[in-house]
């Protein structure tokens, strides 16, 4: 891991890429700190009657292009720096896919696997009570992220509506279908990533049957991208979750298993890699260094860094997780000819279908699954093509190309909202 915290790391990359692109320095300056950050202490009554106080965050990073948007994470390692970095990346991501949102993010410092379902519900409602004046369908719209899901979004939407005494489905996305959720939201991040990989494969001449893939993380994002890649003929040779990784050089099928030993049975997603047969057990670190064609980190940030970048053997990395490659590793990977398809493009399918959900809620409409999927495909291909136009033959990394697309769009919105040329006699 780098010595910098993840937010400092994210800012250093932004500055570096910003220098190489002709962007107004005021646009870069506007992205160097969050517009607003709320830190709260959420009281949680435990099942045994005791009381705990948990640190919770919500960040509205930048709203130049629309209300801020971003998930809520429950994890013991959540920190202020992590939430700010994730919210900055959301700002860039919404601009890359051209949806009318800024970036936000939230989180609670907690080990959710140690909570009972009732404790988890009380925590989720408590989080929304703490944030009820900070979020809203026209200000800041949360969604699921690591260890939160549709059921948790449903509890939060219900709490918000109880506080505000009106039906407001557009306050949160990734909800259960019965509460105004969108068809196709559960698979959207994985499907969006799959579409980006497919488009890249067409451009780079990769043949699915000859492409060996390792997937780190088997949650909402990792499971669906692995499933779709496998259905398209790609060979999944390794997969992992927080308990470890499995590897089979000839590839294997992926099974869906209920995590029956967990207290949170039925609350969290049920994909796990534990029951796979005919495999070798390896560590998560070993998985990253396998000799594969495509590496898909889909768990947490910072897993590829200065320390292991020189040992990565994959030819292409598709960042399904947010921030799996640290800025310190960018140059080593570039020098070694490894193409990194960046998170702000690859995992943008989730927020894109969240946007579709919000649009449906505001219109009182419900689209068919086919409609959601075809609109997602059009958005992802447009975003990929915009990135590719900057990437192809320009000597830039794919990340720099995607950042360029995003920064231009953010710059345009910022300047349209008040151009400093007015105050400097037309001079920039
Ligand atoms: P999730 O909670 O559904 O799953 C997380 C997965 O990561 C689980 O399989 C877990 O076992 C695994 N994991 C946890 N710690 C690990 C470790 N140390 N090593 C290997 N695996 C580990 O979360 P998710 O929604 O799939 O999110 C995964 C990543 O995708 C995150 O970076 C998230 O920000 C990003 N993402 C998610 C969405 C979304 O819509 N869910 C959208 C965009 C980006």
């Amino acid at each position: 891991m780098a010595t910098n915290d993840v937010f400092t790391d994210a800012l250093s990359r932004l500055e570096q890429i910003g220098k190489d692109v002709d962007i107004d320095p005021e646009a870069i300056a506007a992205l160097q700190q969050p517009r607003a950050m709320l830190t709260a202490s959420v009281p949680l009554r435990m099942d045994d009657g005791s009381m705990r106080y948990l640190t919770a965050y919500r960040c509205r990073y930048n709203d130049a292009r629309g209300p801020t948007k971003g998930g809520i994470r429950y994890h013991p390692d959540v920190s202020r720096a992590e939430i700010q970095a994730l919210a900055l990346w959301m700002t860039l991501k919404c601009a890359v896919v051209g949806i009318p949102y800024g970036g936000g993010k939230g989180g609670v410092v907690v080990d959710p696997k140690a909570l009972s379902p009732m404790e988890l519900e009380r925590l989720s409602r408590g989080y929304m009570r703490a944030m009820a004046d900070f979020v809203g369908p026209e200000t800041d719209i949360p969604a699921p992220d690591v260890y939160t899901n549709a059921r948790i979004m449903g509890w939060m939407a219900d709490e918000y509506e109880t506080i505000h005494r009106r039906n407001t489905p557009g306050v949160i996305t990734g909800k259960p279908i019965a509460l105004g959720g969108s068809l196709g939201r559960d698979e959207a991040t994985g499907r969006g990533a799959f579409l980006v990989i497919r488009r890249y494969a067409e451009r780079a001449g990769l043949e699915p049957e000859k492409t060996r893939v390792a997937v780190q993380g088997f949650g909402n994002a990792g499971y669906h991208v692995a499933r779709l890649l496998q259905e398209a003929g790609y060979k999944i040779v390794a997969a992992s979750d927080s308990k470890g990784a499995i590897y089979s050089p000839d590839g294997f099928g992926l099974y869906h298993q209920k995590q029956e030993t967990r207290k949170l049975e039925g609350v969290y997603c049920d994909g796990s890699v534990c029951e796979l047969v005919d495999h070798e057990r390896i560590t998560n670190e070993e998985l990253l260094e396998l000799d594969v064609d495509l590496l898909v980190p889909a768990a947490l940030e910072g897993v590829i860094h200065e320390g292991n970048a020189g040992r990565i053997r994959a030819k292409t990395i598709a960042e399904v997780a947010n921030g799996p490659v640290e800025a310190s590793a960018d140059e080593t990977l570039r020098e070694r000819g490894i193409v990194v398809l960046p998170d702000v493009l690859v995992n943008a399918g989730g927020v894109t279908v969240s946007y579709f959900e919000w649009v449906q809620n505001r219109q009182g409409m419900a689209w068919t699954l086919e409609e959601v999927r075809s609109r997602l495909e059009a958005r992802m291909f447009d975003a990929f093509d915009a990135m590719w136009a900057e990437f192809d033959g320009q000597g830039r990394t794919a990340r720099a190309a995607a950042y360029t697309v995003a920064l231009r769009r953010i710059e345009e919105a910022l300047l349209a909202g008040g151009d400093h040329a007015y105050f400097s006699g037309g001079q920039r």
Side-chain angles (χ1 to χ4, degrees):
M1 289 288 288
T3 44
N4 283 338
D5 69 44
V6 59
F7 183 53
T8 312
D9 198 62
L11 286 181
S12 77
R13 182 183 266 156
L14 176 74
E15 270 167 48
Q16 189 54 47
I17 296 175
K19 266 188 216 145
D20 299 338
V21 191
D22 183 23
I23 294 288
D24 191 304
E26 284 206 357
I28 300 292
L31 292 176
Q32 277 169 338
Q33 60 289 305
R35 292 292 296 272
M37 178 86 178
L38 183 59
T39 306
S41 171
V42 175
L44 172 61
R45 180 71 68 192
M46 305 298 285
D47 289 346
D48 66 4
S50 64
M51 188 70 123
R52 283 173 62 190
Y53 291 87
L54 301 176
T55 304
Y57 301 103
R58 187 72 202 167
C59 176
R60 298 197 311 228
Y61 199 88
N62 182 281
D63 60 0
R65 300 185 67 262
T68 52
K69 183 90 190 76
I72 298 170
R73 176 173 291 198
Y74 287 175
H75 197 277
D77 296 339
V78 161
S79 66
R80 188 183 181 86
E82 181 187 54
I83 296 302
Q84 291 184 168
L86 288 162
L88 164 58
W89 294 330
M90 283 304 298
T91 309
L92 298 167
K93 190 182 305 180
C94 292
V96 169
V97 276
I99 56 179
Y101 285 144
K105 204 80 185 188
V108 180
V109 186
V110 64
D111 176 7
K113 294 180 193 169
L115 299 182
S116 73
M118 292 293 286
E119 289 164 345
L120 197 62
E121 178 175 355
R122 286 195 288 272
L123 167 63
S124 304
R125 291 183 180 279
Y127 181 86
M128 187 46 93
R129 278 196 297 281
M131 303 296 168
D133 295 323
F134 200 65
V135 302
E138 274 142 10
T139 47
D140 178 40
I141 305 135
D145 190 70
V146 173
Y147 294 147
T148 57
N149 60 14
R151 184 173 297 186
I152 291 171
M153 297 305 110
W155 291 328
M156 289 188 179
D158 183 65
E159 192 64 27
Y160 183 89
E161 292 180 346
T162 304
I163 293 166
H164 290 276
R165 290 176 174 273
R166 59 177 65 91
N167 179 264
T168 324
V171 68
I172 207 158
T173 60
K175 298 179 294 294
I177 304 294
L179 296 181
S182 177
L183 293 173
R185 175 62 185 90
D186 57 339
E187 62 162 26
T189 303
R191 181 169 289 275
F194 167 69
L195 291 166
V196 168
I197 293 167
R198 207 177 88 190
R199 196 75 158 181
Y200 175 74
E202 284 162 18
R203 298 285 186 278
L206 300 183
E207 291 175 52
E209 290 72 18
K210 293 188 185 153
T211 306
R212 289 159 306 129
V213 186
V215 182
Q216 184 190 49
F218 209 63
N220 174 283
Y223 168 69
H224 285 293
V225 73
R227 175 180 66 81
L228 290 164
L229 285 170
Q230 187 170 283
E231 282 169 16
Y234 288 79
K235 207 191 252 191
I236 310 292
V237 297
S240 75
D241 62 14
S242 59
K243 295 184 219 112
I246 52 168
Y247 173 55
S248 176
D250 296 328
F252 42 58
L254 294 166
Y255 297 79
H256 221 184
Q257 185 210 24
K258 286 255 180 225
Q259 293 177 322
E260 282 160 6
T261 52
R262 292 256 182 95
K263 268 183 160 179
L264 290 174
E265 180 189 355
V267 172
Y268 285 120
C269 67
D270 49 1
S272 175
V273 294
C274 329
E275 71 166 23
L276 288 166
V277 288
D278 298 334
H279 63 267
E280 185 188 329
R281 276 201 84 90
I282 58 172
T283 65
N284 260 293
E285 291 68 34
E286 287 166 341
L287 177 144
L288 295 170
E289 297 173 18
L290 287 174
D291 182 13
V292 291
D293 302 293
L294 177 64
L295 175 63
V296 180
L300 296 170
E301 56 266 9
V303 293
I304 299 171
H305 43 80
E306 233 173 350
N308 64 1
R311 296 196 299 272
I312 303 295
R313 287 185 285 169
K315 295 175 190 66
T316 306
I317 299 173
E319 291 187 320
V320 171
N322 281 304
V325 175
E326 287 185 353
S328 61
D330 283 353
E331 190 50 24
T332 308
L333 296 175
R334 194 189 65 78
E335 278 170 5
R336 298 185 58 231
I338 298 170
V339 173
V340 181
L341 298 171
D343 50 5
V344 293
L345 171 66
V346 173
N347 70 30
V351 72
T352 301
V353 177
S354 273
Y355 164 60
F356 296 164
E357 181 175 329
W358 180 78
V359 169
Q360 292 170 74
N361 291 158
R362 289 163 72 90
Q363 293 178 330
M365 299 273 290
W367 301 349
T368 63
L369 183 58
E370 290 65 37
E371 200 170 352
V372 170
R373 284 182 177 166
S374 78
R375 285 177 187 263
L376 175 65
E377 184 170 302
R379 290 264 173 187
M380 296 308 298
F381 285 172
D382 279 356
F384 181 91
D385 293 348
M387 180 283 288
W388 192 257
E390 295 290 339
F391 174 58
D392 203 21
Q394 310 273 329
R396 290 195 181 113
T397 60
R399 188 188 315 283
Y403 272 47
T404 302
V405 172
L407 289 172
R408 292 222 177 97
R409 291 177 177 167
I410 295 167
E411 174 193 42
E412 204 181 335
L414 280 165
L415 297 185
D419 189 335
H420 57 100
Y422 294 135
F423 304 97
S424 53
Q427 302 295 310
R428 283 233 173 116

